[in-house]
Short mmCIF file of all heavy atoms in Angstrom, two decimals:
data_model
loop_
_atom_site.label_atom_id
_atom_site.label_comp_id
_atom_site.label_asym_id
_atom_site.label_seq_id
_atom_site.Cartn_x
_atom_site.Cartn_y
_atom_site.Cartn_z
N ASN A 31 -14.70 8.75 -1.28
CA ASN A 31 -14.30 10.09 -0.91
C ASN A 31 -15.20 10.56 0.22
O ASN A 31 -16.29 11.05 0.02
CB ASN A 31 -14.43 11.01 -2.12
CG ASN A 31 -13.92 12.39 -1.82
OD1 ASN A 31 -13.57 12.68 -0.69
ND2 ASN A 31 -13.89 13.24 -2.83
N LYS A 34 -17.33 14.03 1.05
CA LYS A 34 -18.73 14.31 0.73
C LYS A 34 -19.57 13.95 1.96
O LYS A 34 -19.56 12.83 2.41
CB LYS A 34 -19.17 13.50 -0.48
CG LYS A 34 -18.40 13.85 -1.75
CD LYS A 34 -18.87 13.00 -2.91
CE LYS A 34 -18.11 13.34 -4.19
NZ LYS A 34 -18.51 12.46 -5.30
N ARG A 743 -7.79 6.78 -9.00
CA ARG A 743 -8.43 7.87 -9.75
C ARG A 743 -7.49 9.07 -9.94
O ARG A 743 -7.94 10.15 -10.32
CB ARG A 743 -9.74 8.33 -9.08
CG ARG A 743 -10.80 7.25 -8.96
CD ARG A 743 -12.11 7.81 -8.43
NE ARG A 743 -11.96 8.39 -7.11
CZ ARG A 743 -12.03 7.71 -5.97
NH1 ARG A 743 -12.27 6.41 -5.99
NH2 ARG A 743 -11.90 8.32 -4.81
N THR A 745 -5.36 9.67 -12.19
CA THR A 745 -5.17 10.11 -13.58
C THR A 745 -6.48 10.58 -14.19
O THR A 745 -6.59 10.71 -15.41
CB THR A 745 -4.58 8.96 -14.42
OG1 THR A 745 -5.47 7.83 -14.37
CG2 THR A 745 -3.21 8.55 -13.88
N THR A 746 -7.48 10.81 -13.35
CA THR A 746 -8.79 11.27 -13.82
C THR A 746 -9.10 12.63 -13.18
O THR A 746 -8.37 13.12 -12.32
CB THR A 746 -9.90 10.28 -13.44
OG1 THR A 746 -10.16 10.37 -12.02
CG2 THR A 746 -9.48 8.85 -13.77
N LEU A 747 -10.22 13.19 -13.58
CA LEU A 747 -10.70 14.44 -12.98
C LEU A 747 -11.83 14.18 -11.99
O LEU A 747 -12.55 15.11 -11.60
CB LEU A 747 -11.18 15.39 -14.09
CG LEU A 747 -10.13 15.78 -15.13
CD1 LEU A 747 -10.76 16.66 -16.21
CD2 LEU A 747 -8.96 16.51 -14.49
N GLU A 748 -11.96 12.93 -11.53
CA GLU A 748 -13.08 12.57 -10.65
C GLU A 748 -12.94 13.17 -9.26
O GLU A 748 -13.93 13.47 -8.60
CB GLU A 748 -13.19 11.05 -10.55
CG GLU A 748 -13.55 10.36 -11.85
CD GLU A 748 -13.60 8.85 -11.70
OE1 GLU A 748 -13.95 8.38 -10.61
OE2 GLU A 748 -13.27 8.15 -12.67
N ASP A 749 -11.70 13.33 -8.77
CA ASP A 749 -11.48 13.88 -7.44
C ASP A 749 -10.99 15.32 -7.56
O ASP A 749 -10.37 15.70 -8.56
CB ASP A 749 -10.45 13.05 -6.68
CG ASP A 749 -10.98 11.68 -6.30
OD1 ASP A 749 -12.22 11.52 -6.23
OD2 ASP A 749 -10.17 10.77 -6.08
N PRO A 750 -11.24 16.13 -6.52
CA PRO A 750 -10.79 17.52 -6.58
C PRO A 750 -9.27 17.63 -6.47
O PRO A 750 -8.62 16.74 -5.92
CB PRO A 750 -11.48 18.15 -5.37
CG PRO A 750 -11.70 17.02 -4.42
CD PRO A 750 -11.98 15.82 -5.28
N ARG A 765 -10.08 22.26 -15.26
CA ARG A 765 -8.99 21.29 -15.40
C ARG A 765 -9.24 20.44 -16.64
O ARG A 765 -10.37 20.03 -16.90
CB ARG A 765 -8.91 20.39 -14.17
CG ARG A 765 -8.62 21.10 -12.86
CD ARG A 765 -8.64 20.13 -11.69
NE ARG A 765 -9.92 19.45 -11.56
CZ ARG A 765 -10.14 18.34 -10.86
NH1 ARG A 765 -9.14 17.76 -10.22
NH2 ARG A 765 -11.34 17.80 -10.81
N ARG A 768 -4.93 15.63 -15.36
CA ARG A 768 -4.49 15.54 -13.96
C ARG A 768 -3.67 14.27 -13.76
O ARG A 768 -3.97 13.23 -14.35
CB ARG A 768 -5.70 15.53 -13.02
CG ARG A 768 -5.40 15.24 -11.56
CD ARG A 768 -6.67 15.40 -10.71
NE ARG A 768 -6.49 14.94 -9.36
CZ ARG A 768 -6.82 13.73 -8.90
NH1 ARG A 768 -7.39 12.85 -9.74
NH2 ARG A 768 -6.61 13.39 -7.65
#
Side-chain angles (χ1 to χ4, degrees):
N31 184 355
K34 297 179 180 177
R743 299 186 300 274
T745 59
T746 73
L747 300 176
E748 295 178 32
D749 290 338
R765 298 177 302 163
R768 171 174 171 264

